[in-house]
Protein backbone atom coordinates (compact mmCIF):
# COMPACT_ATOMS: atom_id res chain seq x y z
CA UNK A 1 0.00 0.00 0.00
CA UNK A 2 1.35 3.39 -0.95
CA UNK A 3 0.86 6.57 1.09
CA UNK A 4 0.09 10.06 -0.16
CA UNK A 5 3.75 11.01 -0.45
CA UNK A 6 4.85 7.65 -1.74
CA UNK A 7 5.65 6.03 1.61
CA UNK A 8 4.70 2.49 2.03
CA UNK A 9 3.22 0.85 5.09
CA UNK A 10 1.05 3.76 6.24
CA UNK A 11 -0.97 2.82 9.31
CA UNK A 12 -3.67 4.77 11.09
CA UNK A 13 -6.70 4.60 13.29
CA UNK A 14 -10.16 5.84 12.48
CA UNK A 15 -12.22 6.75 15.50
CA UNK A 16 -15.97 6.74 15.09
CA UNK A 17 -17.89 8.66 17.69
CA UNK A 18 -20.83 6.71 19.10
CA UNK A 19 -24.35 7.98 18.62
CA UNK A 20 -25.25 10.21 21.55
CA UNK A 21 -28.00 12.59 22.53
CA UNK A 22 -27.24 16.24 21.88
CA UNK A 23 -30.54 17.78 22.88
CA UNK A 24 -34.13 17.46 23.98
CA UNK A 25 -37.17 19.31 22.72
CA UNK A 26 -40.45 19.18 24.59
CA UNK A 27 -44.02 20.13 23.78
CA UNK A 28 -47.50 19.94 25.20
CA UNK A 29 -50.86 19.91 23.47
CA UNK A 30 -52.24 22.38 26.02
CA UNK A 31 -49.94 25.26 26.94
CA UNK A 32 -52.73 27.30 28.57
CA UNK A 33 -54.87 25.78 31.30
CA UNK A 34 -57.97 27.39 32.81
CA UNK A 35 -58.06 26.16 36.39
CA UNK A 36 -61.65 25.09 36.91
CA UNK A 37 -60.49 22.55 39.50
CA UNK A 38 -60.91 25.09 42.31
CA UNK A 39 -64.58 25.40 41.28
CA UNK A 40 -65.45 21.80 40.37
CA UNK A 41 -62.91 19.76 42.36
CA UNK A 42 -61.86 17.86 39.21
CA UNK A 43 -58.12 17.93 38.48
CA UNK A 44 -56.84 19.08 35.09
CA UNK A 45 -53.86 17.43 33.41
CA UNK A 46 -51.57 18.22 30.48
CA UNK A 47 -48.88 15.79 29.31
CA UNK A 48 -45.45 17.22 28.40
CA UNK A 49 -43.80 15.04 25.77
CA UNK A 50 -39.99 15.19 25.39
CA UNK A 51 -38.25 14.25 22.15
CA UNK A 52 -34.53 13.47 22.03
CA UNK A 53 -32.30 14.19 19.05
CA UNK A 54 -28.82 12.90 18.27
CA UNK A 55 -25.40 13.84 16.92
CA UNK A 56 -25.98 11.97 13.64
CA UNK A 57 -28.36 13.20 10.97
CA UNK A 58 -29.23 9.65 9.93
CA UNK A 59 -30.43 8.81 13.45
CA UNK A 60 -34.07 9.86 13.69
CA UNK A 61 -35.38 11.79 16.67
CA UNK A 62 -37.56 9.76 18.99
CA UNK A 63 -39.58 10.18 22.16
CA UNK A 64 -37.32 10.46 25.15
CA UNK A 65 -37.24 7.19 27.07
CA UNK A 66 -36.82 7.10 30.84
CA UNK A 67 -34.85 7.84 32.89
CA UNK A 68 -35.60 11.53 32.84
CA UNK A 69 -36.84 13.96 35.45
CA UNK A 70 -39.49 16.64 35.20
CA UNK A 71 -40.06 19.47 37.62
CA UNK A 72 -42.20 22.58 37.97
CA UNK A 73 -40.73 26.01 38.60
CA UNK A 74 -43.72 26.82 40.86
CA UNK A 75 -45.68 23.90 42.40
CA UNK A 76 -48.21 26.39 43.83
CA UNK A 77 -49.36 27.04 40.25
CA UNK A 78 -48.96 23.54 38.75
CA UNK A 79 -47.22 20.41 39.99
CA UNK A 80 -45.62 17.61 37.99
CA UNK A 81 -46.56 13.98 38.58
CA UNK A 82 -45.19 10.82 37.04
CA UNK A 83 -43.44 11.19 33.71
CA UNK A 84 -44.06 14.88 32.99
CA UNK A 85 -47.79 15.02 33.68
CA UNK A 86 -48.64 18.61 34.67
CA UNK A 87 -51.47 18.63 37.23
CA UNK A 88 -53.62 21.57 38.27
CA UNK A 89 -56.02 20.73 41.08
CA UNK A 90 -58.17 22.29 43.80
CA UNK A 91 -55.08 22.74 46.00
CA UNK A 92 -53.56 25.16 43.50
CA UNK A 93 -53.27 28.54 45.16
CA UNK A 94 -52.84 30.93 42.23
CA UNK A 95 -52.39 31.27 38.49
CA UNK A 96 -49.55 32.50 36.33
CA UNK A 97 -46.68 31.22 34.25
CA UNK A 98 -44.84 28.04 35.18
CA UNK A 99 -41.86 26.39 33.49
CA UNK A 100 -41.64 22.62 33.31
CA UNK A 101 -38.02 21.40 33.07
CA UNK A 102 -37.16 18.05 31.53
CA UNK A 103 -33.69 16.74 32.40
CA UNK A 104 -32.15 13.60 30.94
CA UNK A 105 -30.65 11.58 33.80
CA UNK A 106 -26.94 11.04 33.25
CA UNK A 107 -26.68 13.51 30.35
CA UNK A 108 -26.44 17.24 30.05
CA UNK A 109 -29.50 17.72 27.85
CA UNK A 110 -32.50 19.65 29.07
CA UNK A 111 -35.67 21.27 27.75
CA UNK A 112 -38.11 23.78 29.23
CA UNK A 113 -41.80 24.15 28.37
CA UNK A 114 -43.76 27.21 29.50
CA UNK A 115 -47.37 26.73 30.58
CA UNK A 116 -49.78 29.45 31.67
CA UNK A 117 -52.48 28.71 34.24
CA UNK A 118 -55.51 30.97 34.52
CA UNK A 119 -56.93 31.09 38.04
CA UNK A 120 -60.50 32.22 38.89
CA UNK A 121 -60.84 35.31 41.02
CA UNK A 122 -63.68 36.47 43.23
CA UNK A 123 -66.73 37.41 41.20
CA UNK A 124 -69.44 39.65 42.64
CA UNK A 125 -72.93 39.83 41.17
CA UNK A 126 -75.20 42.75 42.01
CA UNK A 127 -78.98 42.88 41.64
CA UNK A 128 -80.55 46.24 40.73
CA UNK A 129 -84.00 45.26 41.97
CA UNK A 130 -83.53 43.34 45.22
CA UNK A 131 -87.33 42.95 45.67
CA UNK A 132 -87.93 41.69 42.13
CA UNK A 133 -91.17 43.64 41.77
CA UNK A 134 -93.69 42.51 39.21
CA UNK A 135 -94.11 44.42 35.98
CA UNK A 136 -97.46 46.17 35.76
CA UNK A 137 -99.74 45.77 32.71
CA UNK A 138 -98.33 42.36 31.89
CA UNK A 139 -100.97 39.72 31.31
CA UNK A 140 -100.58 36.06 30.60
CA UNK A 141 -102.16 34.84 27.38
CA UNK A 142 -104.61 32.00 28.05
CA UNK A 143 -104.21 30.54 24.54
Amino acid sequence: MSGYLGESGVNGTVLIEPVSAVGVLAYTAQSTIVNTAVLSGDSLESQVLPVEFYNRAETPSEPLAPPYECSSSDPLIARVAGLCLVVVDADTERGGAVNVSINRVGASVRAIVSIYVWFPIVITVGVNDPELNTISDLRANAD
Side-chain angles (χ1 to χ4, degrees):
M1 179 169 172
S2 176
Y4 174 70
L5 299 175
E7 307 97 26
S8 61
V10 175
N11 292 323
T13 304
V14 176
L15 299 176
I16 300 174
E17 184 177 353
V19 176
S20 61
V22 293
V24 174
L25 297 175
Y27 63 95
T28 181
Q30 189 175 6
S31 63
T32 300
I33 300 171
V34 178
N35 186 356
T36 56
V38 294
L39 303 173
S40 67
D42 296 329
S43 295
L44 302 165
E45 299 174 345
S46 181
Q47 183 73 47
V48 175
L49 301 167
V51 176
E52 190 169 47
F53 56 100
Y54 304 98
N55 60 343
R56 299 243 177 104
E58 69 274 2
T59 305
S61 299
E62 58 186 33
L64 181 63
Y68 58 90
E69 298 172 344
C70 296
S71 61
S72 170
S73 63
D74 193 341
L76 297 177
I77 296 175
R79 62 184 174 83
V80 176
L83 290 176
C84 288
L85 185 65
V86 178
V87 178
V88 176
D89 53 23
D91 295 332
T92 301
E93 297 183 6
R94 63 177 185 265
V98 63
N99 290 325
V100 177
S101 297
I102 299 96
N103 296 309
R104 177 75 145 129
V105 174
S108 60
V109 292
R110 173 179 120 158
I112 295 175
V113 175
S114 295
I115 295 176
Y116 195 84
V117 177
W118 291 92
F119 190 80
I121 58 174
V122 176
I123 299 174
T124 304
V125 177
V127 178
N128 289 334
D129 186 2
E131 295 179 19
L132 297 176
N133 292 323
T134 59
I135 301 172
S136 60
D137 296 332
L138 185 63
R139 296 181 194 176
N141 189 353
D143 293 335

